[in-house]
Amino acid sequence: MANVTVIGAQWGDEGKGKLVDWLSNRADVVVRFQGGHNAGHTLVVGNQTYKLSLLPSGVVQGKLSIIGNGVVVDPWHLVEEIAKLGGQGVNITPDLLVLADNACLILPLHRDLDQAREAAATNKIGTTGRGIGPAYEDKVGRRAIRVADLADRDALEAKIDRLLAHHAPLRRGLGLPEADPARLLADVEAIAPRILPYAQPAWRLLDEVVKSGKRVLFEGAQGALLDVDHGTYPFVTSSNTVAGQAAAGSGLGPKGPGYVLGIVKAYTTRVGEGPFPAELFDEDGRRLGERGHEFGTVTGRARRCGWFDAALVRQSVALNGIEGVALTKLDVLDGFSTLKICTGYRLGEREVDHLPAGLKEQAALTPVFEELEGWSESTQGARSWRDLPAAAVKYVRRVEELIGAPVVLLSTSPERDDTIMMRDPFQD
Ligand code: GDP
Ligand code: IMO
Ligand code: MG
């Protein structure tokens, strides 16, 4: 099956959107399978910049785009994003966009809870404040409102009552005003006709698509180290972000995700709180942030920056079954005379080659670095492997060696076509 799954191999913002957009002209369908509008995927095409949070990045190239059941969907945000893209000349109709009818909704009360909890917490997670965690809680708690429920007014009223009965004590505890069921029902009823035209059993459509020999591209959001099981818990998002989720979050069988392409930034960033062993607090860190324009797409927060952490990505390669890597933002490293790569950690007297599960141990890790020679030439916008300076090639080769996966794509600027392909993931 010639499908490809794109996965963030670090803490998000690796450049997934750019690569999904670039790869989508080789695919027939693009599918989001987890997360929600906490994601911020940036696409640069000529003088247009598209910022997508919920819509699969394939919509910009006019590919059939599916928001799978694993995604939590804020319907008001969805309508807004569709309108915003429309304003940029991307006309999104139900022919182009399909919303899984069994996806769960993010409601205003989820955002309230997310923000109130963060405001009250002494140990903040640094969430995007968009209600992602509380929406997933209600999903696994079996009291969520799903897309299909929007079509059934009578049942909807009872479901809202049940949901509010659960939320009432939580809101009280956080000093939030009581939610008004009539108002929520009215709001949900008002948005329903704008959402329902996109709703379908997405699993069935995907089954047909795959049986007719078409190619599916799965678009991960966040990154493997933000995975609720495998990430730096509790400083994670509330979904499984690893490649395995592409199957469950779309309704395709376990072979559906196909080739797993890890998107890897040539250095490391993280937005929000949590352990980050290779983090830099010096001039080099500031320079990476400045050259890489490391500000969050969703919240505008400055991203924390550090050297490339090979131990972290090696772990990610294993967790996701990554077969090849798209290395992004290599150009940001231009002009550093010396570069460092974190190859593992020290924990007291011990050497550790992975992130231990315990938070206390994670916080106590000190990175072990090896130094590499930098390059003074510009790699920005390079479109051929031959255009790269020898030291840059050496850096890429060392990355491959340390993470145990080949670099099959290289990105050298935000622009769609500034991408070098060594091997076509759809052909592998
Ligand atoms: P995503 O969340 O993984 O899709 O990544 P984001 O879009 O949040 O962040 C990546 C940022 O880097 C965006 O602003 C991209 O336009 C930009 N970008 C992507 N690839 C490259 C690259 O190779 N070089 C540079 N300089 N910027 C890139
Ligand atoms: P993309 O798809 C980077 C982080 C938040 C916070 C934690 C939990 O653009 O790579 P949440 O709102 O999900 O409950 O926040 O996860 N986070 C991201 N960091 N990129 C993202 O998405 C992220 N989505 C969530 O900053 O630390
Ligand atoms: Mg992002």
Side-chain angles (χ1 to χ4, degrees):
M1 194 188 288
N3 297 338
V4 172
T5 296
V6 161
I7 288 294
Q10 292 148 316
W11 278 296
D13 303 324
E14 299 90 349
K16 298 176 292 294
K18 170 182 164 162
L19 266 300
V20 169
D21 168 60
W22 189 82
L23 285 167
S24 64
N25 76 356
R26 291 161 193 274
D28 300 292
V29 186
V30 181
V31 186
R32 275 278 309 267
F33 55 87
Q34 48 70 232
H37 64 315
N38 49 348
H41 297 178
T42 314
L43 285 54
V44 180
V45 186
N47 54 14
Q48 280 277 9
T49 298
Y50 305 93
K51 288 182 189 292
L52 307 179
S53 284
L54 195 49
L55 292 169
S57 297
V59 288
V60 173
Q61 297 234 36
K63 295 292 168 170
L64 175 61
S65 295
I66 299 180
I67 298 177
N69 56 278
V71 176
V72 280
V73 181
D74 179 326
W76 296 275
H77 177 90
L78 181 59
V79 165
E80 227 173 77
E81 201 170 306
I82 290 171
K84 196 178 83 181
L85 267 279
Q88 291 187 280
V90 182
N91 189 22
I92 295 165
T93 62
D95 288 337
L96 182 65
L97 177 69
V98 168
L99 174 60
D101 56 2
N102 53 348
C104 292
L105 299 181
I106 301 182
L107 300 172
L109 48 78
H110 295 123
R111 197 183 48 225
D112 292 347
L113 202 55
D114 191 359
Q115 294 179 358
R117 280 176 178 163
E118 281 286 280
T122 42
N123 221 349
K124 295 186 201 309
I125 290 168
T127 71
T128 60
R130 294 194 153 186
I132 306 295
Y136 277 117
E137 287 171 35
D138 282 339
K139 173 180 175 170
V140 296
R142 296 164 292 190
R143 55 182 169 265
I145 313 288
R146 307 206 299 178
V147 171
D149 296 330
L150 297 177
D152 184 357
R153 190 198 185 277
D154 300 337
L156 191 57
E157 202 164 341
K159 278 176 191 266
I160 286 180
D161 284 344
R162 202 166 99 77
L163 185 64
L164 290 193
H166 176 81
H167 277 258
L170 297 175
R171 294 178 71 91
R172 235 174 281 133
L174 287 159
L176 289 168
E178 201 135 316
D180 174 1
R183 163 100 194 272
L184 182 55
L185 181 63
D187 287 349
V188 167
E189 281 188 319
I191 202 74
R194 306 186 64 183
I195 294 297
L196 284 171
Y198 300 100
Q200 266 196 55
W203 64 269
R204 199 178 59 192
L205 176 64
L206 266 173
D207 187 46
E208 282 166 13
V209 157
V210 167
K211 282 185 176 142
S212 65
K214 291 187 173 150
R215 295 159 149 194
V216 185
L217 175 58
F218 290 93
E219 176 175 8
Q222 291 82 52
L225 276 303
L226 287 169
D227 182 280
V228 68
D229 285 287
H230 299 289
T232 43
Y233 191 90
F235 301 98
V236 293
T237 191
S238 296
S239 65
N240 282 114
T241 59
V242 292
Q245 176 62 18
S250 68
L252 213 57
K255 290 190 180 149
Y259 182 97
V260 182
L261 179 71
I263 313 300
V264 175
K265 199 181 280 193
Y267 49 100
T268 315
T269 63
R270 167 164 210 168
V271 56
E273 304 304 319
F276 183 172
E279 185 168 11
L280 288 168
F281 301 95
D282 60 3
E283 187 47 40
D284 286 338
R286 267 194 301 281
R287 190 158 154 206
L288 286 172
E290 211 173 280
R291 286 187 53 86
H293 304 290
E294 295 296 352
F295 293 93
T297 313
V298 172
T299 57
R301 289 177 290 176
R303 296 175 185 147
R304 299 153 63 191
C305 297
W307 293 118
F308 184 73
D309 186 338
L312 204 84
V313 176
R314 197 161 55 225
Q315 187 161 338
S316 202
V317 166
L319 290 170
N320 289 288
I322 288 173
E323 294 164 87
V325 156
L327 191 68
T328 62
K329 304 191 93 161
L330 187 71
D331 54 294
V332 174
L333 301 182
D334 292 352
F336 280 91
S337 54
T338 308
L339 299 166
K340 287 186 189 173
I341 293 183
C342 170
T343 55
Y345 316 106
R346 274 196 174 283
L347 187 60
E349 294 302 297
R350 272 197 300 141
E351 274 187 22
V352 185
D353 64 357
H354 64 281
L355 264 184
L359 202 56
K360 199 169 143 200
E361 285 180 306
Q362 287 175 8
L365 296 173
T366 51
V368 175
F369 287 115
E370 79 176 31
E371 283 195 5
L372 277 88
E373 198 187 320
W375 54 91
S376 54
E377 302 92 326
S378 170
T379 64
Q380 202 199 342
R383 291 192 181 181
S384 150
W385 185 250
R386 288 186 306 275
D387 294 339
L388 300 178
V393 172
K394 222 166 145 184
Y395 184 83
V396 176
R397 293 295 177 227
R398 187 61 183 141
V399 164
E400 288 178 317
E401 220 167 65
L402 287 168
I403 66 173
V407 172
V408 297
L409 287 156
L410 197 66
S411 166
T412 57
S413 99
E415 166 63 35
R416 176 190 279 164
D417 291 324
D418 289 339
T419 307
I420 304 172
M421 183 165 71
M422 278 76 90
R423 263 189 12 225
D424 184 346
F426 280 105
Q427 301 297 338
D428 251 308

